[in-house]
Amino acid sequence: MSAVSNHNQSKPGYTLAYSIALIFPAITIAGFAGVSLPAFGWFPALGFESFSLTPWQTLMTTPGLWEMVLTTLFVGLTATALSLLLTCIFAISCWQTRIWSITSKALAPLLAIPHSALAIGVLFLLAPSGLFSRLLAGPLDWARPPDVLSVNDPLGLSLIVTLVLKEAPFLCLMLMSAVSQTPVRRLVLAGRSLGYTTAQSWLKLAWPQIYPKIRLPVFIVLAFSLSVVDVSLIIGPNLPPLLPVQVLFWQQDPEASLYLLAAAGSLLLLGIVLTGAGMWLGAEAALKRYLRTWMTAGYRGHRNPVLVHAGRSTWIVMLFMALATLVVVSLWTVAWRWRFPNILPSVWSLKSWLDDFPRLIDPLMTTLVIAFASAVIGIVLSVMCLEFRPTHKPWKMRLMTAFFYLPLLLPQMTFLLGIQAFLVSFHWDGTLTAVIACHLLFVFPYCYLSLAGSWEQYDQRYSHVGKLLCGCPWKTFWQVKIPILLTPLMTTLALGIAVSTALYLPTLMAGAGRFETLTTEAVALATGGNRRLLALYALMQMLIPMLFFALALLTPKWSQLKHRKDSSVPASGRTPLYEP
Amino acid sequence: MSLELNNITLAVPGRTLLHQFSLTVPPGETVSLMGPSGCGKSILLSYISGAHHPHVTGAGRVLINGEDVTDKPMEKRRVGLQFQDDLLFPHMTVNGNLAFALHPGLSAKERQWRIDDALSAADLSGYGNMRPENLSGGQRARISLMRTLLAEPAALLLDEPFSRLDAHLRQQIRTFVFDTVREKHIPALLVTHDEQDCNGRVIELVKEGVAHD
């Protein structure tokens, strides 16, 4: 039941909730329609007015196409499988240890780091002249950076490392919430009382109940890894690049006919994502079949502390590597001279902050405007949706939620290209409204999902009592419900800002190159040689979401402080009770 | 002031809870409703207040002071609803909670005067600036009841309001409630599991199928 409407949930209310819920999936689907026409030669805005198969013929004869397709599939599937494996290792080896609670605190700031900033950090770590090779240079006696492709390697291994660093923590967060909804303690106890080791009990009893709960996030990770553009531009293969990047190159080419090629290529990308999902489903089914006998074969397992410690160490190394990206990026912003084998800069200076920071102010402001606007609009729409959704029809609610996932489960490159085709046709591209709307495609679902839990946990009786007391639903909503839910609302604002700050393609596609955000600038600079400037951009990218998350964390503390001040007043009224 | 229920029938999908139930509560009286869990006592209270879940279907009329409020939204019914949890708003002080219930249009002086009056009636003068979480269970229950009364309800519905209190407090709050109801001349309907809670007329509800016999 909602606070704004009365108990008779109104028809207009449902209509509002449904229309908000449907806008973004509808735009996504329209994007696919918009990309299909140019893929078959029809794009009047650029002067192509007849259907043909030419774009497809050109696509199929592109040199190195199949290499691109296969590498894209390899990178996406490997990154997803490794992320899931690491999550599983984490669950089994760290459950009920201090690492678990430390991780639960470290995850939020880690997840707030935009993909591209993390990629820049990994670039600084893994590059031939990066921090890792500097650490090795001493013992191995290297005078100059080794001549190996440790980043931008043709197989995309460095890209996989970056994706895993970002996606494994995401899956872990999902795992932790799944664990809290599953009686893992009881299951593991039951297993151990039957003589199974903790690890075997986890694998055979807890994991089969937990995996279905994190399956949707796994598919989101898969779709993302198969179609990622910004991270791939920074650290992925160069010649040839992965397919999504190649599609972007075609789209940006001044030669107009390549736009049609980009459209066809993006549909091929959709095919790759669907194929990848199909392969994943096939692997799931095969494993399920193969493991069914193993689960009930009665193997109890042996205590293996070495393996458990190896699992924990892997996870700690991963957390440290993520932290190291932040450190190395910060170092580069204050390093003036940092010759190769030196582990630390030899000359420190704030010169790049003083000289280059003014350059950042414009993109910083643009980023903040877009992020703040899309996060606030995302929250307002989510709250309207949550207030008016049909709570007494669970299947309709589930369907609504399922729709929200659509933009996250499909390749961005494909539908954004189609949306861009629409925007270009109606001359709406390059407007702030178009950019914010495209950001909302991704910001809104996260806002909604983040608020939905708090809205469900809210005790409706507070609103009932409020309405009965003051007779005004609006007053009750603003003075009772919103203040009680202030902390989740602030966290969601921070999340929305983090999501928007990280977005690359939506800004690029809807902005017609007129909007420079920290992320678009950082990605553009990544191929150049100016490490200090690049580090400055990456650091700002990391700091903005972290700053807002810190503010959100402070909200409840702040109101506590305020209330301590309040409650000190009536001490006089309190003391008589304790006096004899 | 009186509370009148005419031929109330309540059902949830697949089950009838109440059939043609009628009752008149005169002002100042507290009528107690008893019965096993699931017989629809609490749902009846939420139906009267308008806070029932959309899957509850109901027929029959609810009249307060002779006025039919059945089709009115909950906030227009002038019904006070009291749960076993005090539901004090955690983000407001005691003063804030009480002020929330006062009608608008009163002068600031008048508001403060009424709040202070309510606090002293609850024997809690000087607690106005405290947060609900710093009060004891009994103190919270009294403040919660005072909050409900400050809204000047035309009828009072009490949904097991004493069940969370320990035996000693229970007697104290009970007396407080019944005295206040009598004094303010409001009709009250009390749902309870404890016979000792009852004060005056008691109506036994039975489970479905027998209720309408």
Side-chain angles (χ1 to χ4, degrees):
Chain A
M1 235 177 287
S2 71
V4 174
S5 70
N6 62 50
H7 71 287
N8 313 306
Q9 274 195 319
S10 54
K11 272 257 154 58
Y14 293 154
T15 319
L16 182 69
Y18 288 136
S19 32
I20 294 170
L22 285 176
I23 288 174
F24 298 108
I27 294 178
T28 312
I29 292 166
F32 286 106
V35 81
S36 307
L37 293 174
F40 291 96
W42 203 76
F43 196 36
L46 289 180
F48 299 97
E49 297 193 333
S50 63
F51 285 100
S52 80
L53 284 176
T54 328
W56 289 98
Q57 283 154 0
T58 324
L59 179 67
M60 289 307 153
T61 50
T62 305
L65 177 74
W66 296 113
E67 199 183 328
M68 278 190 244
V69 168
L70 288 177
T71 320
T72 306
L73 264 176
F74 168 74
V75 166
L77 287 168
T78 315
T80 312
L82 282 178
S83 305
L84 185 62
L85 184 68
L86 268 171
T87 308
C88 187
I89 289 175
F90 166 71
I92 292 169
S93 62
C94 302
W95 184 65
Q96 282 191 328
T97 66
R98 264 183 56 214
I99 307 174
W100 185 280
S101 51
I102 292 171
T103 307
S104 71
K105 290 186 193 97
L107 279 181
L110 203 61
L111 287 168
I113 299 178
H115 293 86
S116 44
L118 189 76
I120 291 166
V122 178
L123 190 73
F124 288 167
L125 287 180
L126 294 186
S129 60
L131 194 62
F132 282 175
S133 104
R134 286 165 197 264
L135 291 173
L136 289 175
L140 295 178
D141 208 21
W142 289 341
R144 56 186 64 220
D147 190 18
V148 288
L149 274 176
S150 55
V151 290
N152 307 113
D153 55 300
L155 269 179
L157 299 178
S158 50
L159 174 59
I160 291 174
V161 170
T162 315
L163 288 173
V164 169
L165 272 184
K166 178 74 190 170
E167 304 304 349
F170 170 68
L171 288 182
C172 264
L173 188 74
M174 299 294 130
L175 172 95
M176 286 177 154
S177 99
V179 165
S180 67
Q181 299 162 27
T182 315
V184 176
R185 251 180 88 88
R186 278 216 315 270
L187 289 170
V188 171
L189 268 179
R192 289 179 64 187
S193 70
L194 292 170
Y196 287 83
T197 59
T198 309
Q200 290 285 327
S201 310
W202 240 102
L203 272 179
K204 290 175 180 170
L205 300 175
W207 188 256
Q209 288 193 34
I210 283 174
Y211 180 69
K213 292 181 184 148
I214 63 165
R215 197 157 167 247
L216 195 59
V218 168
F219 278 96
I220 291 178
V221 168
L222 182 65
F224 181 85
S225 309
L226 283 168
S227 61
V228 63
V229 171
D230 49 354
V231 181
S232 189
L233 273 166
I234 295 167
I235 206 164
N238 272 337
L239 291 168
L242 296 185
L243 186 67
V245 175
Q246 184 61 60
V247 171
L248 180 69
F249 289 162
W250 284 329
Q251 183 264 334
Q252 288 178 327
D253 201 288
E255 167 64 49
S257 67
L258 287 186
Y259 195 91
L260 306 183
L261 184 57
S266 77
L267 279 184
L268 178 63
L269 181 65
L270 174 65
I272 290 179
V273 169
L274 295 178
T275 310
M279 287 165 77
W280 192 270
L281 286 173
E284 274 180 358
L287 270 176
K288 207 172 168 184
R289 220 187 136 127
Y290 173 72
L291 291 180
R292 193 179 297 150
T293 42
W294 169 78
M295 296 247 273
T296 50
Y299 173 65
R300 272 11 184 208
H302 299 286
R303 276 193 169 276
N304 197 335
V306 178
L307 219 58
V308 171
H309 282 295
R312 283 181 200 165
S313 317
T314 318
W315 185 250
I316 291 173
V317 164
M318 226 205 72
L319 284 184
F320 268 101
M321 194 162 161
L323 192 69
T325 60
L326 186 63
V327 173
V328 75
V329 162
S330 316
L331 277 180
W332 266 110
T333 66
V334 288
W336 194 247
R337 175 174 287 193
W338 196 357
R339 308 268 297 267
F340 171 66
N342 298 346
I343 289 165
L344 286 175
S346 49
V347 181
W348 304 75
S349 156
L350 284 176
K351 214 164 151 33
S352 66
W353 279 92
L354 297 172
D355 291 356
D356 294 329
F357 195 75
R359 276 183 66 181
L360 258 81
I361 291 176
D362 273 350
L364 178 66
M365 292 322 278
T366 314
T367 307
L368 284 176
V369 167
I370 297 173
F372 208 75
S374 50
V376 169
I377 298 174
I379 287 178
V380 170
L381 291 180
S382 306
V383 168
M384 294 207 294
C385 229
L386 288 162
E387 282 295 312
F388 292 114
R389 65 187 180 161
T391 30
H392 58 293
K393 297 235 170 75
W395 68 271
K396 278 192 181 167
M397 266 170 50
R398 271 202 297 276
L399 197 69
M400 249 166 77
T401 317
F403 272 129
F404 293 152
Y405 283 107
L406 210 57
L408 308 178
L409 285 168
L410 292 166
Q412 293 182 17
M413 189 71 231
T414 312
F415 62 86
L416 284 174
L417 197 65
I419 291 169
Q420 192 203 27
F422 275 117
L423 292 174
V424 169
S425 305
F426 295 107
H427 303 289
W428 287 338
D429 59 325
T431 61
L432 187 63
T433 321
V435 174
I436 291 173
C438 272
H439 275 238
L440 271 171
L441 277 178
F442 304 93
V443 173
F444 172 70
Y446 282 110
C447 287
Y448 179 88
L449 296 173
S450 148
L451 284 178
S454 313
W455 242 253
E456 262 153 41
Q457 279 163 25
Y458 173 75
D459 189 342
Q460 287 298 343
R461 294 178 307 168
Y462 278 124
S463 289
H464 295 337
V465 165
K467 276 188 272 183
L468 290 172
L469 288 173
C470 74
C472 178
W474 268 103
K475 191 178 165 191
T476 306
F477 179 70
W478 285 108
Q479 296 193 4
V480 176
K481 192 165 189 178
I482 292 294
I484 288 179
L485 293 170
L486 191 63
T487 306
L489 281 167
M490 291 303 285
T491 317
T492 308
L493 182 71
L495 177 75
I497 287 172
V499 170
S500 167
T501 306
L503 289 176
Y504 172 72
L505 268 189
T507 320
L508 207 63
M509 290 289 181
R514 271 175 232 156
F515 293 89
E516 290 180 347
T517 64
L518 290 176
T519 299
T520 59
E521 286 301 276
V523 174
L525 281 168
T527 41
N530 193 340
R531 287 194 169 186
R532 288 176 205 92
L533 188 58
L534 182 57
L536 209 52
Y537 273 99
L539 189 64
M540 288 314 291
Q541 267 187 296
M542 293 175 173
L543 287 182
I544 287 181
M546 283 187 182
L547 183 74
F548 281 95
F549 268 108
L551 284 178
L553 281 176
L554 284 176
T555 320
K557 301 246 162 64
W558 174 75
S559 64
Q560 258 170 33
L561 258 170
K562 209 173 124 225
H563 113 231
R564 200 168 300 150
K565 215 171 71 195
D566 288 343
S567 54
S568 64
V569 183
S572 59
R574 204 179 185 177
T575 33
L577 281 178
Y578 298 106
E579 269 168 11
Chain B
M1 285 194 279
S2 68
L3 170 67
E4 215 177 307
L5 307 177
N6 286 340
N7 298 324
I8 305 272
T9 299
L10 290 179
V12 289
R15 208 154 72 87
T16 306
L17 297 167
L18 272 183
H19 189 73
Q20 302 275 334
F21 179 78
S22 295
L23 173 70
T24 304
V25 186
E29 187 184 344
T30 307
V31 172
S32 307
L33 286 177
M34 295 192 69
S37 316
C39 72
K41 307 180 301 270
S42 293
I43 291 182
L44 177 63
L45 289 200
S46 61
Y47 183 76
I48 297 171
S49 68
H52 57 287
H53 198 268
H55 74 239
V56 176
T57 46
R61 315 308 294 175
V62 177
L63 277 76
I64 293 176
N65 279 340
E67 188 196 353
D68 188 344
V69 297
T70 323
D71 298 320
K72 286 192 169 184
M74 60 187 295
E75 61 272 11
K76 300 265 181 259
R77 296 188 181 200
R78 293 193 56 212
V79 164
L81 186 57
Q82 193 72 31
F83 295 99
Q84 51 179 273
D85 303 302
D86 52 73
L87 295 174
L88 292 178
F89 304 135
H91 58 288
M92 294 181 186
T93 58
V94 168
N95 271 339
N97 268 286
L98 294 173
F100 187 85
L102 286 172
H103 290 290
L106 298 172
S107 70
K109 223 169 146 186
E110 173 77 13
R111 294 176 83 82
Q112 195 51 53
W113 183 76
R114 290 205 189 186
I115 290 171
D116 291 343
D117 210 35
L119 283 173
S120 71
D123 212 13
L124 287 168
S125 296
Y127 280 70
N129 286 321
M130 294 194 46
R131 289 269 165 170
E133 66 193 64
N134 298 336
L135 300 181
S136 72
Q139 292 170 332
R140 291 169 61 114
R142 278 179 284 164
I143 295 293
S144 177
L145 191 76
M146 289 324 292
R147 186 178 71 173
T148 306
L149 291 171
L150 278 182
E152 298 175 35
L156 191 59
L157 306 175
L158 306 154
D159 194 351
E160 302 193 39
F162 314 123
S163 62
R164 288 272 169 95
L165 305 171
D166 59 52
H168 164 70
L169 270 174
R170 195 179 264 228
Q171 191 48 49
Q172 187 193 330
I173 305 277
R174 219 183 257 151
T175 319
F176 181 68
V177 169
F178 297 140
D179 288 352
T180 314
V181 164
R182 218 167 293 132
E183 198 178 297
K184 301 251 173 189
H185 228 61
I186 329 171
L189 201 54
L190 168 75
V191 158
T192 182
H193 278 296
D194 184 351
E195 269 173 49
Q196 290 190 323
D197 283 349
C198 303
N199 173 283
R201 243 194 311 164
V202 179
I203 293 175
E204 287 269 355
L205 291 180
V206 268
K207 270 216 166 176
E208 181 215 355
V210 201
H212 47 86
D213 282 345

